[in-house]
Amino acid sequence: VGLKTYDFLAGKLSFGSSNFIHKKETLQRIESIKTSQLKGGITYHDGQFDDARLAINLAQSAVEHGATVLNYFEVIDLLKDSNNIINGVSAKNVETNKIYHLKSKVVINATGVFADDILKKDHPGASNSIRSSQGVHLILDKSFLPGNDAIMIPKTDDGRVLFIVPWENKLVVGTTDTLLDEHKLEPVALEEEIEFILSTANRYLTKTVTRKDVLSIFAGLRPLAAPKEGSEKTKEISRSHKIIVTKSKLITIIGGKWTTYRRMAQDTVNKANVVGSLPHIKCQTKKLALHGYSTAHDRFHPLNLYGSDKEAILEIAKSNTAFAKKIHPNYEFIFAEVVWAIRFEMARTLEDILARRVRLLFLDARAAKEAAPKVASLLTSELGKDAAWEKDQIDSFIQLAEQYHL
């Protein structure tokens, strides 16, 4: 009933209707599922995307429409006028440690799980508006679930569905829903979360998953809008976004999720127009083509996710035979992608490239460590850094990558 409701709500945007399938067809589509107590299945359609790639494309689109985008700048304070109204920020370039005072007509705090850190710079006694919920994913070899179908397990011990989804010729297995009392830049999977995912997956898969089979493990934080009455159940905490405007006119957007990001932006900018007495311009993003938009689609080409930038990356590969080589023998990523990320996507560190551009760290942590030295050498050359900087990059990345495998 729930899936049919989703079909109805999706309307003309639906990828296909949901249907019941019998046991025989279920086993034909998912040959590695256990047959004990299996009655059949329900098929439904969903989409997937590369979150880091979309974030980069959004930044590129912003630049193309007149924005100035700064990478590795940290807000250290809020600027206020004589009436205690916010009129800018103090920000530090973390690469040079130079501090800049940036004036503006309005300031928007869109920092996810870190929103309260900025709110407390405005008002130190402010109550928390965000409750962080941690989600963990494991990456497995495709052999545990051959074929093109994913599995959704609707009922688990913690009340959250578990997904086993094909991604980048691997499997993503997750997720968990653990409320945290603190947040940090690099969240770490808890032991109980790992065990929960492994034990739940093994109830349904014929091929037993062990800890040594995990290629990568990563954790993320959901910036849930905190409940007013202190509920400890994440399902009772709103996934909807909320906009807060303080007395000093700091605008904060909290909550929300990737699937509603465009509407979140529209609502926030419309609010900024009012708060900052800006010229009212009708939102144009509903049908705006993002950077990289292309009608040409070759789902089997490894550079397909770059869209219209694919040809430029291929030209970089042609310009130097070294750039056409793979950064790791087991994966399709090439050095031309590294060059592209540095020159056109503001990549500044080894982590930027191997985690947030080509995603190797998320697919296979050990392979990412093996690729690190050669990628760091190219990064050092492109940025004009020295050997000491290169070594520091490798050491820092290896230390980070240790958290991504068991």
Side-chain angles (χ1 to χ4, degrees), residues 76-365:
I76 58 174
D77 206 356
L78 300 172
L79 303 178
K80 296 183 179 182
D81 63 17
S82 57
N83 296 315
N84 204 39
I85 301 300
I86 291 174
N87 63 356
V89 300
S90 292
K92 181 175 70 174
N93 180 337
V94 298
E95 292 185 325
T96 65
N97 288 323
K98 184 176 179 179
I99 295 176
Y100 297 81
H101 300 295
L102 309 173
K103 291 296 187 72
S104 65
K105 292 183 178 179
V106 65
V107 173
I108 297 172
N109 173 21
T111 53
V113 294
F114 303 98
D116 284 331
D117 297 347
I118 304 298
L119 280 167
K120 284 178 169 57
K121 292 181 186 299
D122 177 32
H123 180 57
S127 58
N128 288 336
S129 61
I130 292 291
R131 190 71 194 272
S132 297
S133 169
Q134 178 161 288
V136 170
H137 294 82
L138 309 183
I139 301 296
L140 304 175
D141 184 77
K142 193 73 167 59
S143 61
F144 289 92
L145 186 68
N148 297 318
D149 288 299
I151 292 178
M152 182 193 80
I153 301 165
K155 291 184 179 181
T156 63
D157 292 341
D158 80 341
R160 185 175 180 84
V161 299
L162 188 88
F163 291 90
I164 306 176
V165 182
W167 178 58
E168 298 289 332
N169 206 34
K170 293 286 187 288
L171 297 174
V172 180
V173 188
T175 181
T176 56
D177 204 359
T178 307
L179 281 175
L180 301 180
D181 293 323
E182 59 181 16
H183 53 264
K184 52 186 175 180
L185 281 171
E186 193 62 46
V188 178
L190 302 175
E191 189 62 32
E192 56 264 34
E193 293 178 302
I194 299 169
E195 286 301 321
F196 163 73
I197 293 175
L198 290 174
S199 63
T200 305
N202 280 326
R203 292 182 190 176
Y204 296 88
L205 299 177
T206 54
K207 184 178 179 180
T208 302
V209 184
T210 66
R211 296 173 71 91
K212 67 181 179 60
D213 296 312
V214 177
L215 298 173
S216 184
I217 178 169
F218 55 93
L221 300 179
R222 307 177 190 91
L224 305 182
K228 292 183 178 180
E229 297 178 4
S231 172
E232 289 296 312
K233 296 182 179 179
T234 56
K235 65 182 180 180
E236 295 177 7
I237 302 178
S238 175
R239 257 67 170 175
S240 300
H241 64 275
K242 298 178 182 177
I243 298 173
I244 301 170
V245 181
T246 66
K247 292 180 179 179
S248 57
K249 296 190 176 181
L250 173 66
I251 299 172
T252 299
I253 171 77
I254 62 172
K257 48 194 174 182
W258 261 116
T259 46
T260 59
Y261 85 88
R262 194 209 63 81
R263 184 54 188 262
M264 292 166 63
Q266 176 179 316
D267 292 349
T268 305
V269 174
N270 285 346
K271 177 65 72 173
N273 286 342
V274 176
V275 173
S277 299
L278 306 176
H280 179 72
I281 300 175
K282 186 178 180 181
C283 180
Q284 302 173 47
T285 58
K286 195 167 187 179
K287 296 184 178 180
L288 179 71
L290 296 179
H291 178 92
Y293 170 79
S294 174
T295 56
H297 183 68
D298 177 6
R299 63 178 294 187
F300 300 109
H301 196 289
L303 297 179
N304 178 60
L305 81 167
Y306 289 95
S308 61
D309 288 332
K310 179 175 75 173
E311 294 304 319
I313 298 172
L314 290 173
E315 286 300 316
I316 293 175
K318 292 177 184 177
S319 71
N320 187 324
T321 55
F323 293 163
K325 294 180 179 180
K326 295 180 179 180
I327 66 175
H328 190 279
N330 297 342
Y331 294 89
E332 295 298 321
F333 306 118
I334 59 176
F335 283 100
E337 294 176 76
V338 177
V339 175
W340 175 263
I342 298 166
R343 294 179 184 176
F344 301 104
E345 294 183 350
M346 302 179 78
R348 305 293 297 170
T349 68
L350 197 51
E351 182 185 353
D352 280 346
I353 294 168
L354 292 176
R356 291 183 279 270
R357 301 299 188 278
V358 300
R359 316 313 300 276
L360 183 57
L361 179 61
F362 288 83
L363 291 171
D364 189 331

Side-chain angles (χ1 to χ4, degrees), residues 2-21:
L3 289 173
K4 284 299 181 183
T5 302
Y6 275 118
D7 289 347
F8 174 76
L9 293 174
K12 64 181 181 180
L13 298 177
S14 173
F15 295 142
S17 61
S18 57
N19 295 287
F20 176 82
I21 58 173

Side-chain angles (χ1 to χ4, degrees), residues 349-351 354 361 368-369 371-377 379-380 387-403:
T349 68
L350 197 51
E351 182 185 353
L354 292 176
L361 179 61
K369 289 197 295 184
K374 288 184 178 180
V375 174
S377 177
L379 177 67
T380 302
W389 184 89
E390 181 178 339
K391 182 181 184 302
D392 182 64
Q393 281 293 304
I394 295 172
D395 292 345
S396 296
F397 182 78
I398 296 300
Q399 184 178 2
L400 170 70
E402 289 294 331
Q403 300 177 22

